[in-house]
Amino acid sequence: MKMKPIWARLFAALALVVPRVALAADPCHTVTFEDTPFTVCEARAGEDVRLWLRDEAGDILGTIPRVKATLAPNEQLVFAMNAGMYAPDRSPAGLYIENGQELHRIVTNEGPGNFGLLPNGVFCISDRFAVVESRAFAANPLACRFATQSGPMLVIDGALHPRFLPESDSTYIRNGVGVSGDGLTAWFVISDKPVNFHRFARFFRDELGAPNALYLDGSISRLFVPAQGRADFGLPMGPIVGLVAQD
């Protein structure tokens, strides 16, 4: 029998339930990189990072008030952002796992748009975080409590996506997620000015030191940080990712 890679065996051994914790301070801050401001929201392994898609009736949540309505009375939403690309009906474009249940299958074929600009990837939440290239994930799935697929990959094992051009004039407000090499830290980032893919990816690699990072979306990118009075959300979205803390 073929032995799974060490990272796959590690995640398979992790529990799917992460204890809820209280946070003492706002984990979001602004970092300026090459004259461009980025808002970085940091989460640590063991904190309660979740994905949301549908309510108990099967309707897509898609907004911050509806996500907050799913929380327990002693819980608060620390920050949230859109969590990957979605179809016109706001269903996920690729793999989506919530509370250990796969709600949409992984997509590994090349296709149109940014999602199909291979390699794309999966952001996995368990006792640690991981960003894994989609075909590698399909070959050796991780035991994810939550997961979302998006694309393209921004950083792949320390290298930028091969299709990114330094002088590209395709600039948007973009958001994505990067993970530290030990899987203990996840950085949720939104550019506060339009940037191209190359600069956005270099921010994750060169400023944050993330060996792997995943693009979540652009132009529709939104961030909610109540401690800063920031609430970008307007139009309903597809999957949403956020950090929950107890009061």
Side-chain angles (χ1 to χ4, degrees):
M1 181 173 62
K2 182 180 178 182
M3 181 68 71
K4 291 186 177 182
I6 185 65
W7 54 262
R9 301 202 305 273
L10 173 64
F11 267 78
L14 295 175
L16 293 178
V17 178
V18 175
R20 298 172 184 175
V21 297
L23 299 181
D26 176 14
C28 302
H29 59 283
T30 300
V31 178
T32 300
F33 176 72
E34 296 180 351
D35 299 322
T36 302
F38 297 84
T39 297
V40 180
C41 295
E42 182 176 307
R44 298 286 294 171
E47 294 176 342
D48 192 1
V49 182
R50 305 179 193 175
L51 283 162
W52 293 270
L53 182 62
R54 300 180 186 274
D55 62 18
E56 293 182 353
D59 296 323
I60 290 181
L61 296 167
T63 67
I64 294 301
R66 297 193 68 190
V67 166
K68 291 172 69 175
T70 70
L71 302 181
N74 66 328
E75 294 178 334
Q76 59 176 313
L77 189 59
V78 179
F79 69 79
M81 65 168 46
N82 51 300
M85 297 179 184
Y86 49 88
D89 65 356
R90 295 190 284 133
S91 62
L95 178 71
Y96 184 83
I97 296 172
E98 189 171 319
N99 292 316
Q101 181 180 3
E102 182 178 308
L103 302 181
H104 195 280
R105 67 178 181 85
I106 195 166
V107 176
T108 58
N109 55 292
E110 190 171 5
N114 291 325
F115 182 88
L117 185 63
L118 301 184
N120 58 22
V122 173
F123 172 56
C124 173
I125 303 167
S126 185
D127 282 359
R128 299 190 184 211
F129 304 107
V131 168
V132 181
E133 188 274 326
S134 294
R135 290 179 176 176
F137 188 98
N140 292 287
L142 305 182
C144 306
R145 188 167 57 101
F146 296 95
T148 182
Q149 183 183 9
S150 193
M153 289 281 286
L154 297 169
V155 187
I156 313 116
D157 295 330
L160 302 188
H161 192 290
R163 298 283 295 276
F164 294 168
L165 302 174
E167 303 305 322
S168 171
D169 61 0
S170 177
T171 61
Y172 293 95
I173 300 294
R174 303 181 187 273
N175 74 304
V177 59
V179 173
S180 61
D182 58 10
L184 296 178
T185 304
W187 297 285
F188 299 87
V189 178
I190 188 168
S191 66
D192 292 319
K193 290 185 178 179
V195 292
N196 64 22
F197 271 127
H198 198 274
R199 181 173 295 186
F200 194 46
R202 284 189 293 107
F203 177 77
F204 279 97
R205 185 189 66 180
D206 301 341
E207 181 67 28
L208 298 180
N212 291 284
L214 179 65
Y215 183 61
L216 294 177
D217 218 327
S219 74
I220 65 166
S221 300
R222 302 289 189 270
L223 178 63
F224 172 77
V225 188
Q228 299 180 1
R230 180 167 182 169
D232 299 347
F233 279 74
L235 73 162
M237 313 293 276
I240 293 173
V241 63
L243 176 61
V244 175
Q246 292 183 337
D247 292 334

